[in-house]
Amino acid sequence: MNIEILHSPTSEKPFLVINKPKGLASAPLSTTDKDNALSQAVELYPELLNVHGKKEIEYGLLHRLDTATDGLMVIAASQECYDFLCEEQRLGNFVKYYQAKCDILTDNAKALGGFPPFNKTDSVELSLSSYFRPYGEGRKEVRPVTEESGKSALSKIGKQKLYNTNIRILKMDPDSKTAFVECFITEGYRHQVRCHLAWAGLPVRGDLLYNALFSSGIKKAENLLFSATKISFEYPRGDLNSYDRKDTWT
């Protein structure tokens, strides 16, 4: 599994845009771990090693994708670019888009447990906002937390920050009980989009963690139908860079 290069670093635009395949981790777990997208990028562009990120072994990596998720990632190739884009993320100017094929399961959150109440609407556009907390055995999952959640849930919030997911239903198929959706976020928490979709009763097809049909074994998962399809950000200031992966599985 190899990364695909969409943009190579230049003096004017010192960042790398890659397309990561499913099954490949985004970042190394240790200095000896080379089976990941970032390590492949470093092999091609050694200048990435000169950037000091939030984690020493992640260099200029600006965000991650779950191993089971394919799609677009950005890696800064200069310290100035990294610092600038980190600040853009903080300001909400670094936009990431995802597309997914979802099952329509109104009671999905209730079946999984640990989710706060959610008022489902018939709108084709939803905006979800919550804190997050680790959940389940080994803390492998997360759950949204709101001000209406119990004291126990509120005490376990991983970060005192509200995370927003905007969901737009592109197409619904009532016969097969599926929906195609597009989501966008400006700053992400681990599993944020997948968890918010599950909360809204639109869990991603093939999601072993957040789709009750697959987590319970009712259906067998072969693939997570979830992709990071577009990314948009300014660099330098006033110059909008937008990369859109057209060949999505949807």
Side-chain angles (χ1 to χ4, degrees):
M1 296 176 289
N2 295 317
I3 61 173
E4 176 189 1
I5 308 300
L6 275 70
H7 171 78
S8 298
T10 65
S11 57
E12 293 80 16
K13 296 181 183 293
F15 55 82
L16 176 67
V17 181
I18 66 172
N19 183 29
K20 182 190 81 69
K22 292 183 185 295
L24 182 67
S26 292
L29 296 176
S30 67
T31 55
T32 58
D33 179 11
K34 303 299 180 184
D35 189 19
N36 57 82
L38 179 61
S39 294
Q40 287 189 19
V42 167
E43 286 290 323
L44 296 170
Y45 304 98
E47 63 267 32
L48 299 178
L49 296 172
N50 297 324
V51 182
H52 301 285
K54 295 176 182 177
K55 292 185 179 181
E56 185 177 355
I57 60 174
E58 293 189 359
Y59 307 106
L61 185 65
L62 287 154
H63 60 108
R64 301 163 196 80
L65 297 177
D66 299 331
T67 299
T69 302
D70 61 324
L72 305 187
M73 294 173 54
V74 180
I75 307 169
S78 77
Q79 193 65 47
E80 184 277 333
C81 180
Y82 177 80
D83 295 341
F84 178 90
L85 291 179
C86 281
E87 178 65 7
E88 288 296 277
Q89 288 182 316
R90 188 187 71 81
L91 295 172
N93 298 329
F94 192 99
V95 189
K96 293 170 285 187
Y97 297 81
Y98 301 82
Q99 287 189 7
K101 183 176 182 179
C102 301
D103 288 301
I104 302 173
L105 297 175
T106 304
D107 295 329
N108 184 74
K110 182 178 180 181
L112 292 176
F115 286 83
F118 179 78
N119 297 319
K120 186 76 172 78
T121 70
D122 294 327
S123 174
V124 297
E125 294 190 4
L126 304 171
S127 182
L128 282 70
S129 179
S130 75
Y131 304 102
F132 280 100
R133 65 183 174 106
Y135 184 85
E137 183 179 355
R139 298 160 65 94
K140 293 180 180 179
E141 303 175 40
V142 299
R143 289 293 187 269
V145 178
T146 68
E147 297 296 340
E148 286 73 41
S149 298
K151 291 183 179 179
S152 176
L154 285 165
S155 69
K156 298 174 184 176
I157 292 174
K159 189 176 181 181
Q160 291 285 345
K161 179 179 178 60
L162 285 169
Y163 291 89
N164 304 303
T165 302
N166 295 280
I167 302 168
R168 183 163 64 98
I169 299 173
L170 303 175
K171 179 182 177 182
M172 297 192 74
D173 186 346
D175 293 333
S176 63
K177 295 184 179 181
T178 59
F180 289 93
V181 304
E182 180 179 66
C183 307
F184 74 86
I185 61 175
T186 55
E187 189 174 6
Y189 192 87
R190 179 169 65 98
H191 298 175
Q192 174 182 331
V193 178
R194 290 163 57 191
C195 185
H196 271 169
L197 283 169
W199 188 25
L202 295 168
V204 176
R205 175 70 61 88
D207 195 331
L208 292 171
L209 296 181
Y210 302 108
N211 187 323
L213 292 177
F214 294 90
S215 65
S216 64
I218 295 176
K219 287 189 176 181
K220 183 178 179 181
E222 296 182 355
N223 209 0
L224 181 71
L225 301 186
F226 181 69
S227 301
T229 54
K230 183 179 177 181
I231 198 157
S232 179
F233 56 92
E234 286 189 6
Y235 185 87
R237 174 68 64 217
D239 188 352
L240 181 64
N241 302 274
S242 183
Y243 297 87
D244 193 345
R245 205 188 74 175
K246 299 295 186 181
D247 58 333
T248 59
W249 48 264
T250 54

